[in-house]
Amino acid sequence: MALMMSDVDRFEAARPRLAAIAYRLLGSSSEAEDAVQETFLRWQASDVARIEVPEAWLTKVLTNLCLNQLTSARARRETYVGRWLPEPLLVGDPMLGPADTAEQRESVSYAVLVLLERLAPKERAVYVLREAFDYPHREIAEILDITEAAAQQIYHRAKKHVADGKVRTEVDEATARRIVEEFLAAATSGRTEPLVRLLTEDAVSVGDGGGKVPARAKAFEGAKAVATFLRGLFKPAAAKRAHVGGVPEIYATTANGGPAVLAVVEGRVVGITCLEVTAEGIAAVRSQVNPDKLVRATELWAATDHGEGPLHTL
């Protein structure tokens, strides 16, 4: 059924919100875009005139598409090479969605996206719709075809699972840059002691290379082990330059609202390392180096002003 221009406009007005929901649910910008496009195709094929509340209809279709995707994704990730980590998004990416409240910012933080991977698909959907988009439990129940009481119960269970992680510290962009600068100074000092002082005792470090780029799938655990690994990671080497096709330039940036280290080679983002900050120090260092999960970051990086030059080169 052909859509009128006003119907297309209505969908386009909802697209940013739909994309932000899908990204939080799937942890991948490309999968989120696919889910939004499939939602549009179903909107196009529907009798729009008979849909009483289009925004609710679109959210329900998108959410259920994402739930199906999450179910199949779990099976695919069993054969994924190495550790699967979400795709980080750089500051300014519209897919990050609303960031007006602490709950909204927290819901898209990299640490929480990692924790959401542990939830059942329906738990993840309820948590995202409630925390990030403030949907009432009644509407969440209608979207997921469950009772309102069940939606409340699932939400409280999901929120407890997320809260069981470390208490993360929210930082502004200036503080995030200072943290990255301190981290880089320690990581490039050639010594482990400065890094150990920045890390929590039970700090972890893990990477996602997707089988395409070498990455540590089994986490390093403990400040000393993490510091030793990072000292080697940030040590310049000809082999590293040959592997990435040039000299990596290291920038301080913000990804998913938190401090991040960005590695760029001739305009191409080759790595994003997200730092999870707590009151006790840096609790986790998670590196995304799978090139498939850095395409969007490269596009945004190319379209933005980087201000000052790189902090370091490897």
Side-chain angles (χ1 to χ4, degrees), residues 137-158:
H137 288 295
R138 175 183 54 79
E139 291 186 26
I140 294 174
E142 292 173 358
I143 290 170
L144 298 176
D145 292 324
I146 57 178
T147 66
E148 185 173 348
Q152 291 176 326
Q153 186 177 36
I154 291 171
Y155 168 69
H156 290 303
R157 185 168 65 241

Side-chain angles (χ1 to χ4, degrees), residues 140-184:
I140 294 174
E142 292 173 358
I143 290 170
L144 298 176
D145 292 324
I146 57 178
T147 66
E148 185 173 348
Q152 291 176 326
Q153 186 177 36
I154 291 171
Y155 168 69
H156 290 303
R157 185 168 65 241
K159 190 169 184 178
K160 182 179 184 302
H161 287 321
V162 173
D164 283 342
K166 291 183 178 293
V167 178
R168 291 161 292 276
T169 300
E170 188 174 355
V171 298
D172 56 26
E173 285 192 42
T175 303
R177 180 178 178 85
R178 178 182 56 77
I179 290 170
V180 173
E181 288 174 346
E182 291 179 1
F183 174 81
L184 281 175

Side-chain angles (χ1 to χ4, degrees), residues 91-103:
V91 59
D93 193 316
M95 197 175 278
L96 288 170
D100 299 324
T101 67
E103 290 79 12

Side-chain angles (χ1 to χ4, degrees), residues 169 171 175-177 179-180 253-255 257-261 273-277:
T169 300
V171 298
T175 303
R177 180 178 178 85
I179 290 170
V180 173
T253 189
T254 303
V261 180
T273 297
C274 297
L275 308 179
E276 181 180 340
V277 180

Side-chain angles (χ1 to χ4, degrees), residues 231-267:
R231 182 187 63 186
L233 182 66
F234 283 90
K235 184 179 180 180
K240 294 177 186 175
R241 295 177 178 181
H243 187 80
V244 297
V247 178
E249 296 180 333
I250 308 301
Y251 293 84
T253 189
T254 303
N256 293 76
V261 180
L262 192 74
V264 181
V265 174
E266 297 179 355

Side-chain angles (χ1 to χ4, degrees), residues 23 27-34 80-81 84-89 208-213 268-272 288-299:
Y23 169 68
S28 162
S29 68
S30 60
E31 291 181 4
E33 288 173 341
D34 288 345
Y80 190 83
V81 179
W84 191 96
L85 289 175
E87 174 185 349
L89 298 182
D208 177 353
K212 300 181 178 182
V213 175
R268 175 172 50 92
V269 176
V270 297
I272 301 175
Q288 182 57 260
V289 292
N290 183 344
D292 294 341
K293 298 181 183 181
L294 297 172
V295 173
R296 187 179 179 91
T298 294
E299 292 173 351

Side-chain angles (χ1 to χ4, degrees), residues 10-52:
R10 173 166 277 177
F11 181 87
E12 290 304 319
R15 183 186 288 274
R17 178 178 56 84
L18 296 175
I21 292 173
Y23 169 68
R24 282 170 165 83
L25 288 176
L26 301 173
S28 162
S29 68
S30 60
E31 291 181 4
E33 288 173 341
D34 288 345
V36 172
Q37 185 58 26
E38 179 61 28
T39 301
F40 174 74
L41 294 176
R42 297 195 181 194
W43 172 253
Q44 188 177 42
S46 68
D47 186 353
V48 174
R50 296 175 65 87
I51 298 175
E52 295 182 5

